[in-house]
Amino acid sequence: MVWPIADSVLDSMGRALENGLHNPCHRSHDAFSRRQAMHSLVTRIARIARIARIIGVWACALVPLCGAAQAFPDRPVTLVLAYSAGSISDVLARSVAQQLSARWKQPVLVDNRPGGNQIIAASLVAKAAADGYTLLLCDDGVFTLNPHLFRKLPYSLEDFAPVADLAQLQMVLSSARQVPAASIAELVALARARPGTLNYGSFGTGNIVHLAMDAFSRMAAIELVHVPYKGYPDAIRDVLANQVQLVLGGIGGPALQYLKSGAMRPLAVTGPSRSPLLPDVPTLAEAGFARLDPQVNFILMAPAGTPPAVVRKINAAAAVIVRQEIAATVLAPNGMRPLGASPDALAASLRQGRAAYAELVKSSGVRLD
């Protein structure tokens, strides 16, 4: 109410002074000088009134946005996960949901919607109400890879408000124990001796695992057969049964116990350094494939139009959760490192990632429509 009152007072003062300029009582030998001084004063007061009016409009516009952030959330929130239950991303999603629920005193539910290169989950959230109560938890390939793989997508980056990047996943290339190769060099030699006889599992055609393994095959001049799955647990199951011989996926979660027991054999890990979980396993760079460095970042996105104050509130909570509350207990044991950048930084990263992956997809020749 302060600004409308100030506006009214200033307008009244201005009108009174303007009336004074035309009052016959002021017509004397120095009337011209007084009129000049009064005109300057009226101009300054009118300018102040306009500024006050503008500030008042902005203040009124910000009130509902601040109120929305303060009230959020006052009912359950849903995290739509683009992966299957039991996956490493599912462990991440449920840990984040649990911490958000404790912080907000509201239920935070995980809704698994795997398949379709994460398009099913992304499309669902793109059409949801822009209020922060429906969020997408996916990997960045939804926005960096899919635009190169599909001529037409039912969503675009502009349909979303970037909220937070949560964690980066370090991956391991593993083989079935029946495969007579204990290193990348031995695997390459075996594949060259038996072209087309080794299969590898991925999480679907066109995702980062498929594209990375395709690039590995071309770099090593070998022929591997791609077998797509809906999720990592399904691929691991068939590696254990030697139905497929290779799989590239997260170090922790459902894979770690098999890697440590010898049921699966780790050959190399992604990233710039070895994993504390598998300290004896070399990186792909150490194994001679320095140019092959696939990355998977798990991110949170909201529908476009979600109030910025709500986005900032979710981002702030997510950053604390991944950097402090679950970094040592959930992320590290599953081969992930915490991120937690700002919404603007995430938006810039997605744009850069899309440009960076253009050549990888083009060289693979993979198109999905």
Side-chain angles (χ1 to χ4, degrees):
M1 295 298 293
V2 174
W3 295 113
I5 292 173
D7 197 7
S8 176
V9 170
L10 290 169
D11 280 349
S12 298
M13 291 174 62
R15 286 195 299 271
L17 288 169
E18 284 180 334
N19 290 338
L21 289 176
H22 303 289
N23 193 325
C25 297
H26 294 282
R27 292 173 183 168
S28 61
H29 66 280
D30 59 344
F32 179 75
S33 297
R34 286 203 303 273
R35 280 198 297 271
Q36 280 190 317
M38 294 290 282
H39 183 270
S40 177
L41 178 60
V42 169
T43 300
R44 287 197 295 270
I45 291 174
R47 187 179 297 118
I48 293 171
R50 287 194 298 271
I51 294 172
R53 186 180 294 111
I54 292 169
I55 293 174
V57 169
W58 277 103
C60 292
L62 289 173
V63 168
L65 295 180
C66 295
Q70 291 173 352
F72 178 88
D74 58 7
R75 62 181 188 273
V77 175
T78 299
L79 300 184
V80 178
L81 177 62
Y83 283 94
S84 60
S87 62
I88 289 178
S89 56
D90 187 62
V91 173
L92 172 64
R94 293 183 188 280
S95 299
V96 170
Q98 182 181 24
Q99 293 295 329
L100 288 175
S101 181
R103 177 179 294 268
W104 290 338
K105 310 301 181 187
Q106 291 289 341
V108 179
L109 312 173
V110 176
D111 181 8
N112 297 87
R113 297 296 182 104
N117 268 47
Q118 306 183 79
I119 294 174
I120 295 172
S123 300
L124 178 64
V125 176
K127 299 172 184 175
D131 52 15
Y133 288 91
T134 303
L135 304 172
L136 173 66
L137 201 162
C138 61
D139 73 56
D140 51 356
V142 170
F143 304 100
T144 60
L145 290 175
N146 281 356
H148 301 298
L149 295 166
F150 297 88
R151 291 181 179 84
K152 292 183 179 179
L153 283 172
Y155 67 86
S156 68
L157 181 56
E158 287 68 35
D159 294 324
F160 291 86
V163 177
D165 53 359
L166 301 175
Q168 186 173 82
L169 178 70
Q170 188 172 22
M171 296 187 288
V172 58
L173 175 58
S174 308
S175 69
R177 64 181 178 179
Q178 294 89 343
V179 176
S183 67
I184 290 292
E186 292 181 7
L187 174 67
V188 170
L190 178 65
R192 287 176 179 170
R194 304 178 186 175
T197 62
L198 297 179
N199 304 326
Y200 69 90
S202 80
F203 318 144
T205 302
N207 69 10
I208 187 61
V209 170
H210 174 208
L211 295 172
M213 290 299 294
D214 176 78
F216 170 68
S217 299
R218 285 184 280 108
M219 290 177 188
I222 58 178
E223 183 183 346
L224 301 175
V225 179
H226 175 223
V227 181
Y229 290 86
K230 283 189 175 182
Y232 196 24
D234 295 333
I236 289 175
R237 180 196 63 227
D238 278 4
V239 170
L240 293 172
N242 199 29
Q243 297 299 312
V244 295
Q245 287 69 52
L246 301 166
V247 66
L248 176 65
I251 295 172
L256 188 59
Q257 59 179 316
Y258 301 120
L259 293 168
K260 287 187 173 293
S261 70
M264 290 169 56
R265 182 181 294 119
L267 301 175
V269 298
T270 63
S273 60
R274 297 189 179 194
S275 168
L277 299 176
L278 300 170
D280 297 329
V281 180
T283 64
L284 282 168
E286 290 175 313
F289 291 86
R291 291 187 297 120
L292 185 63
D293 188 24
Q295 295 184 359
V296 175
N297 291 345
F298 294 114
I299 62 176
L300 272 181
M301 305 288 282
T306 300
V310 171
V311 169
R312 289 193 297 270
K313 185 171 185 176
I314 300 171
N315 174 273
V320 171
I321 288 169
V322 297
R323 291 175 180 173
Q324 300 178 21
E325 296 176 354
I326 66 171
T329 58
V330 176
L331 300 188
N334 285 284
M336 292 182 278
R337 70 177 185 88
L339 298 175
S342 69
D344 288 343
L346 173 56
S349 175
L350 293 175
R351 289 192 294 269
Q352 292 167 3
R354 177 172 177 172
Y357 278 128
E359 182 56 35
L360 176 66
V361 177
K362 182 180 179 181
S363 59
S364 74
V366 176
R367 294 293 301 191
L368 298 181
D369 64 359

